[in-house]
Each structure stands twice: as C-alpha cells, then as structure tokens.
Amino acid sequence: MKHYRPHIFVVVALAIVLSSGWHGTLRNALTDLRFGWVSRQATGDVVVIAIDAPSIEKIGVWPWPRRLHADLLRRLEIADVRDIVFDVDFSAPSDAASDQAFVDALRSAGGSVALPSFKQPGAAGGNGAAVYINRPLKQFGDHSWTAVVNVAVERDGLVRRYPFGENLDGQFLPSMGAVLAGQYHAKREPFLIDFSIRTASIPRVSYIDVLRGDEATLAKLRNKKVIIGSTALELGDRFNTPNGGVVSGPLLQALAAESIFQDRTLRQTSDIVTLAGLCMISLIMMFAWRRLSASMRVVLLVGMAAAVETIAILLQGKLPLILDTSLFHTAIAVYMAAIALDEIDLRDWLGRIAENRFQRIAMSLGDGLVCTDKNHLITVWNPGAAAIFGYDPAEMIGRPFDQICATGAEAATGSISRCEEARARSRLPGGLVMEFDGRRKNGEVFPVEACFSGWQGTDGFQYGAILRDISVRKREGERIRYLAEYDSLTGLANRDTLHAELAAMISSAEMAAGEVALLVIGLDSFQHINDMLGHACGDLVLRAVSGRLNAETGGAGVVARLSGDEFAIAIPYADMTETVEQFCERIGLAFSAPLLAGARQHRVTVSIGAATYPLGGNTADELLSNSHLALSRAKAARRGGHVLFEKTIREELEARLTLEAELALAVERNEFELFYQPQVRLADGGLLGAEALIRWHHPLRGMVSPAEFMPVVNTSAISEPIGGWVLETACRQARIWERAGHNVRVGINLSPSQLQSGDLATSVAEMLEITGLSPSLLELEVTEDILLVNEDKALDTFRRIQDLGVRVVFDDFGTGYGSLSYLKKFPLNGLKIDRSFVLELRADSGDAAIVGSTIGLSKQLGLSVIAEGIEDRATADLLMSMGCEQGQGYFFGRPMPAQAFESKFLMMQDAPAKVLERGEAA
C-alpha cells in the first residue's frame, strides 16, 4: 500500500481540482500565457473604419445622422471595397430624410453591406427570463445582410470564444466575423479566438478621413473588407481579453474574422488525449518511484512538464488545437509534493517546528515559564523566571522545582505540599491555578501565582508552570481593601465598615439577649473652622477628634467617621461600665478641653444622638437612622448636648413628613383660602384695611389651624409656591374691591423663602402690573427671621419695594432680639405691636410700659403703629389714649372669607363705617 500512496495522492488531488472548478481556471491561464509567447500578424484583408474621438469631435453631434453613413457608403463604393459591415445600431428610426438617404446608399451598394442584430435583456430585466432581439429596420434590412454581433463573456469577465452564428426566432444568422470571412455554417461549434494575432497589426482608418474622401485613406481600403464601428472610449463598446487586453467591439469582430481567415479557429483536444497523458505520467512514475533517487525523479518530472508544455505550444502555434495541460501540471506538482513528503520525516519536522515556536514564545513571555520532566527536574527556565527569582538558567536547569518553593517558619504552611498537589492535579484538563509562597535567590519570600499544566511528551510526562510575582498586586489589594473599609484621613472605620460591625454586634446581642449602643457625634460649628482657617486646619482638627474618641473608648467597640464632621461609636453593652446617658455625657465632657491641632488649640463642642438595640431599632440601618434623628434633635435643642432616641422623635418626624406631603397635595388641589381680618382707626372705627390670613380646608380634618401647618410651610420647599399664591390671590381680591370703589389696604405676611429664592421686588412689581392694583393698597409684613437671612439683600429688596409705592411693615414687633436696630436700618413704613403685649395690657404694667414706649418711638421715627390682639373696648380706648391710632383684633372682627368680609364691612350704607359699634354689638 505504501508503494501506491503517491499515486493515490495524485488521483485524490486531481479529483479535488476537477470538482472545485480550479481545472478550468488553470487551463485558461495556461492557454492565455501561450498567446503571449507566440505572436502572429493579421492578413490585412480586414480594415476597421473607426468611429474615434477625432471623428466625433469633427462632426460635433452624437448620434450621427444616417446621411453621414450614406455618404460613407458612397465613398467606400468609389474606393472599390469588397464587403462592408456596420457594428452600429440601426434598429430605431431617425429622421425620415436621413433614413431614406441611407436606404438609397444601401440599394446602390448592391447587397455588399451587412448590418448588425443583437440580443439584449427585455423588460423583465437581465435575468435571462426575457430577451429582446434588436434587428435593423425593415427598410434597411431589405437591402442588406444581417449579422449577429453578440459575444459570450466568461465567468472571469474575459471574452475567449466566438460563434459562427446564432438562431434568432428560429432563423440562423451568421456572426459578423464569419460574414467578413465568408465562412459560416449553422452546425459549426463556437471556436476560441486566436489572441496571438496582434490587434496592432489590424489596419485602422478614421471615419472622418474616409468621409472627407482622403485619397491616401481610400487607397488603403481598395479591394478590402471593412468593419465600421466605435473605438472611442466615451462610447463604451469595450471587451476584456486575455493577458490584460481591452479591445473595442469592431476590433474583436476583426480578430474573429482574422482567426477564420488564417484557419486559426482554435479548439480543445479531446478528453481522451488528456486521460492518455495522465496515464502515461502515472506509468512513468510507477516505474521510476523506487528505481530512481528523489532528485532524479524531480528532474524527470520537470522534464515531463517542459515536454508537455512544449508540445502544447507547438500544437497551438502550428495547428488550431489547444492541448489542455492543466491536469498534467497538477499531477506533476502533486508528485513533487509526494517526493518531498516521502523524503522528510514529517513527525520530526513538525516536532522541531513546534519546539522552535515554543522556545520563541517561552523566551518572549514577561511571566516566568518553568518546565520540568517527570522527575520534577527543571528543563526550561525563561528570562521571566530569572527576573522573578534571581537565578540564571544555568543555575536552575536540572535542579528540582521545589528549590523555588519557600520552606521553614517564614513560609506559608504547606507551601511545598501544595506544589505537590498542583503537580498531581495539573494532569486534569485545563490544569490548575493556585498561589504559593516562593523564595528568591536572596532568600526573600514572596507570593507567587502559578498556572500548572501537564502533557505527555516524547520523553515521558512533563509539567509546566507559568509563574507570576503578585507582591505588588497583593499590596495594592490590601491598600484598596483598607481604603474601602477605613477613612483615609483619620484612619477610623468608614460608614460601610461601621454598618457591617454594627450588624455583627446586633446579631451577637440577639443570640445573647444583650444590647448595643450607637452614638452619632456631630461637631458644632465645624464649618467655621474650615471657612476661617482652611481645610488643611480642618483636617488636623478631625484627626484630633478621632484621637480623642479612640482614647475615650479605650479600644472597646468601633469608632467610625460617617461624613465630613460626623463620627459614630458602636459598642455592646457588655463592653460598657456605665449607662448610655453617662457614656454620652463623658464623651461630651471630653471635648471641654481644647484640641491640639498642629500649632493651634481649638475648642470644639459636640452634639450627640444615641440609639440602642433593641429599643432604638432592630437593625443597623434603623439604629443609624434613629441616631441621626436624635442628633438632629440635640442640635436643634442646644449645641453641646445629647439626646437619646425615643419613638416620639420619629413619630413627630413622620407626622411632619405626612403634613408636608398633604400640603403639597393641597397646593395642587387648591385647598387653601385667604381669610381677611379688618384693621381700623381707633378714633372713629373707620375701616383702613385687612390682613390676609391663609386657611386650609383639609378634605378629612376640615379647617386646619395655621399654627399647625405654617411652621412646616415656612421651613419646607412648598413655602415659595404657597407664598406666591397668597401674594397673587390677595392682590386680585384687593383689585376687585378697588374697582368696586373700596380702597381697602391688604396686608400680606411674607415667608423667608420668598426673599431667599428669587427677586421679591420684581415679583411684586409683576403682580401689581398683572392685577392692576394700586401699590398703596398693598402692605407687606416682615418678621425678624426674614431680615436675619441676608441683611444686605433684604435692605436692597425692601428699598426697591418701597420705590414701587408698596408699604413695608415690621410684624410681631418686640418679640425678637434686634428690633430697635432694624427700625433704624431698614426702610419701614410702620410696625405692628405683637398681640402678646396687648392681651394683658390693662393688667400688666410692664406690657403697658413697653407698648407706650413703642408707640412713642414710632411717632418719633415717623412710623405708623397698629396694635394686634384687641379683644375688648377698654383695651381699644387705652391704646388710643396712649397714642395708638390703628388696631386689629377679635373686637373688630375675626378673620373671615372675602365674601363675608364684603358683606360685613364694605356693604354698609352709613359712612364712615362704624366698626366700633359693630364690635360693641358683637
């Protein structure tokens, strides 16, 4: 069987070549090359009259009138041309005169002219389903021959074959080249054009020269056959031919005619010749395979290839035959490959290739690569391993692998045994990745990541390990873990670590029925340190705080930094020697002594919120949340104190959150209403104005007191929209009264958010413009908390409001801390004495003294004064006797809706309105 293996190899290769189609490609390539090796001249009997670029340029139009072709025919008739063929489309009519002139020229030529017919895709497209045949017009066909000009383009885009004619609609039409050669028959097969005939040897003249009757040109045409067609590039009639040639349609037809003239209608030899040649090659190689050396067999094969190709060239040059040598050369090439494989030890060759590749890869690896034999002695030690362990290859080749594994007390326990385990498991598919402690040449022990694998080699089972020094990765991992669990500034545990530790404490306390305390500690006014001394100083203070907290806990529990100026202590009750209250007090007292931060000492106070498990929460999240609530309560009550969480704190918060949500819905549902309380002159009871007071119609609770919801409004995000609604509603109502002839001044209470969030003066001006209200009928009441927000902004805003003509009044005068200074600093039109001084005015001499002084001061400053909270006639008389001119209170009227206010105070017929009498009646 081994003796026949090369021949079987050849048969299989030939079958593959034939089935894949490579045979045809190789055959065409060899035939085309032979055309290039042999050169043949044209006979000169066929001349191409070229419709070239100079002709198109001279005539100037395209397509040309057919009278030009008629003139050309007459010139050719004079030149005594034998046969004329046109490679020009005559299937469509032109103008009648030109067509008739061409008909007359054809008739005069006496049947020596052939016109083209050709097939082209019809309306169905170019898929071969529909074909349309273009023929010359009948009037032209009656006086001429018809010839087919179609040629077949092969799969590689080249034209090689040419037909003698085609059957069109059941009628045989000769091809144009066959007409020129005068040889055609319906049963003759298409032939291969002889492209060894050089196209440059085919005579060509220009159409315009013939048309002008150039004598030299006409002399070239005498007793010749001519073909007329386009050769200009712009007309696009081009075909690709072997050996990179590109020829025009008329030249291709002329080449075909020349092939027929010269008896060069080439045809392939039969398959029997090919089969016989293959059998001869095989017989020769069977005979010579074991009798001749490999080199002699190669020489023999080369000689056969040269002989075969020489015969093919002679046949193609002397006879119109093409010998297909593609399979011969394929068989010869396969025999040569078989000789090469027979002479080479393939397994050894492939092994050397693999080994060389492995060596190149091993030497270029950045990681260490170590290979051992079955006895675990090192056989490969690459530069990466030398860089990691410090040993040169000469020091390690032949040494046991365990030499690089750490042993002794400094190594991780079981390092060598783990290496043994890895070598055992490396036989498994995919090997094993593990870490062990390695030892450098200088004795340093360091972590190594290794990927062990094993394979069966020629010398037995072998092992390999890719080693990587992971010291840096380990250090970075530790650093990343530290940053993830601890605060980088103070070294304390961070929020995540506190949460995890707190959860663990709760779990332990739950099993032991114990308790856990959590303190959240906030630094009071820490932002002032950052603002005044800078963040670098602030960082020093934070480090000092963390140190003092650690000192106070004595290592018990967990001390953590939660955020910028918030710390926490989580500690089990079992580690405490005091109550939570006492622990909080001790932490607070610890900060009574100044903190040393750098070269400065700082006095810092802390507020503490504490919660305990299980009373203050059952989970870490609940304890953190409740401790923060307690801290907020501690800061709100007094700085430097502590608060232990109670359920009422959360209940109050939840109630506030519920109220905020209901207020937000109330804005959307328009549940608010303005009530109006009268303001009168005390002297005669005349109505001066009204204070607009907001009321809330709750869908379930009914009318809700402003004292319940206004504190929430003034400290939440809904303050601004509610304040804007109050301003707009009051201005619109005052404008309604103004248009009805009642100049009622309406007072509106401002909220701090209206001054903080935007431009209040602009808002007031826009509202006055929108509603059309007279500025003098609008009064804005401000309290001290509004002025405290931003004094400069408030001062500018209220000056601009006064410039509009709107009154600004100081409300609740006497209840703040800096009211007297505000009277001097801010542009005010009046003030309102708080009802807390008026209610007990007759019984409390102190209140009387304050009210009297306020009235006198106001008169000296030119401010109007209105007293709030007047509930009886005697109080009104006393105030009037003290010089107060305006009053407001239940004695004159309770707050009421706008319609009720109109009915009671604006519809009275007697003038001036006797509000005092109505008050007495009430």
Side-chain angles (χ1 to χ4, degrees), residues 41-53 55 197-210 214 216-221 224-233 237-238 246-255 258:
Q41 296 295 316
T43 62
D45 289 339
V46 178
V47 181
V48 175
I49 298 178
I51 300 175
D52 51 9
S55 301
I197 300 173
R198 300 301 174 230
T199 55
S201 66
I202 298 175
R204 275 173 281 191
V205 297
S206 179
Y207 188 103
I208 191 64
D209 292 338
V210 178
D214 182 71
T217 301
L218 294 177
K220 295 177 182 178
L221 303 178
K224 303 290 186 181
K225 298 184 178 189
V226 299
I227 177 168
I228 304 159
S230 64
T231 61
L233 285 173
D237 187 14
R238 320 291 289 179
V246 179
V247 300
S248 62
L251 275 175
L252 186 65
Q253 301 293 340
L255 275 174
E258 285 286 349

Side-chain angles (χ1 to χ4, degrees), residues 188-300:
R188 296 189 69 174
E189 295 294 328
F191 62 90
L192 289 167
I193 299 173
D194 187 357
F195 287 103
S196 64
I197 300 173
R198 300 301 174 230
T199 55
S201 66
I202 298 175
R204 275 173 281 191
V205 297
S206 179
Y207 188 103
I208 191 64
D209 292 338
V210 178
L211 192 63
R212 290 186 301 194
D214 182 71
E215 291 295 336
T217 301
L218 294 177
K220 295 177 182 178
L221 303 178
R222 185 163 288 108
N223 203 30
K224 303 290 186 181
K225 298 184 178 189
V226 299
I227 177 168
I228 304 159
S230 64
T231 61
L233 285 173
E234 51 266 45
L235 298 181
D237 187 14
R238 320 291 289 179
F239 295 94
N240 294 320
T241 60
N243 299 319
V246 179
V247 300
S248 62
L251 275 175
L252 186 65
Q253 301 293 340
L255 275 174
E258 285 286 349
S259 297
I260 299 172
F261 273 137
Q262 300 185 34
D263 195 21
R264 299 294 298 165
T265 53
L266 302 176
R267 285 175 173 78
Q268 300 280 356
T269 56
S270 68
D271 294 338
I272 295 175
V273 175
T274 303
L275 182 59
L278 289 174
C279 291
M280 185 177 294
I281 293 173
S282 297
L283 288 172
I284 292 172
M285 293 311 297
M286 284 182 182
F287 177 80
W289 195 260
R290 295 305 175 192
R291 290 176 175 84
L292 299 177
S293 65
S295 59
M296 290 304 295
R297 277 178 276 161
V298 171
V299 171
L300 179 60

Side-chain angles (χ1 to χ4, degrees), residues 6 157 206 300 398 458 596 609 638 662 740 824 877:
S206 179
L300 179 60
T458 56
L596 180 62
R638 62 183 183 88
E662 290 179 340
K824 176 183 177 182
D877 291 341

Side-chain angles (χ1 to χ4, degrees), residues 510-534:
E510 184 179 7
M511 290 187 291
E515 295 180 80
V516 178
L518 176 66
L519 279 64
V520 176
I521 303 159
L523 305 186
D524 298 330
S525 304
F526 177 72
Q527 187 60 39
H528 294 324
I529 296 176
N530 277 338
D531 293 342
M532 291 185 297
L533 302 177

Side-chain angles (χ1 to χ4, degrees), residues 365-380:
L365 274 179
D367 294 330
L369 177 62
V370 179
C371 296
T372 69
D373 59 16
K374 60 184 178 181
N375 298 317
H376 311 311
L377 299 179
I378 295 173
T379 58
V380 175

